[in-house]
Amino acid sequence: MSLIGIASTAPNSRSTTQANANSMSALTWTYNSTNKSNPSPSNITIPDYLVGVATPLSQTGIPYSWGGTTD
């Protein structure tokens, strides 16, 4: 088995991984007319909690719409 292309660095420690996760959960961002537009409406839906809200709107955390495909 060839190891070409496999990263040569060690994985993150548990504490580094936890710090990264905490940082992402506290991410602040602004929902606005630029990031509100959907580049692929046939397979991407806006999360329910963002549908119909006025922009700009300050948010915390990672925007995500639970679910899967309808195929």
Side-chain angles (χ1 to χ4, degrees):
M1 178 175 144
S2 173
L3 297 180
I4 295 173
I6 295 177
S8 61
T9 58
N12 287 342
S13 67
R14 181 181 179 128
S15 61
T16 299
T17 301
Q18 183 67 48
N20 290 342
N22 289 339
S23 175
M24 290 303 297
S25 69
L27 173 76
T28 57
W29 56 281
T30 302
Y31 184 58
N32 57 41
S33 59
T34 301
N35 59 24
K36 181 179 182 177
S37 69
N38 187 345
S40 185
S42 65
N43 62 359
I44 299 172
T45 58
I46 296 172
D48 290 342
Y49 68 96
L50 294 175
V51 173
V53 299
T55 59
L57 177 68
S58 180
Q59 294 285 295
T60 301
I62 301 170
Y64 186 78
S65 181
W66 289 98
T69 64
T70 58
D71 296 341

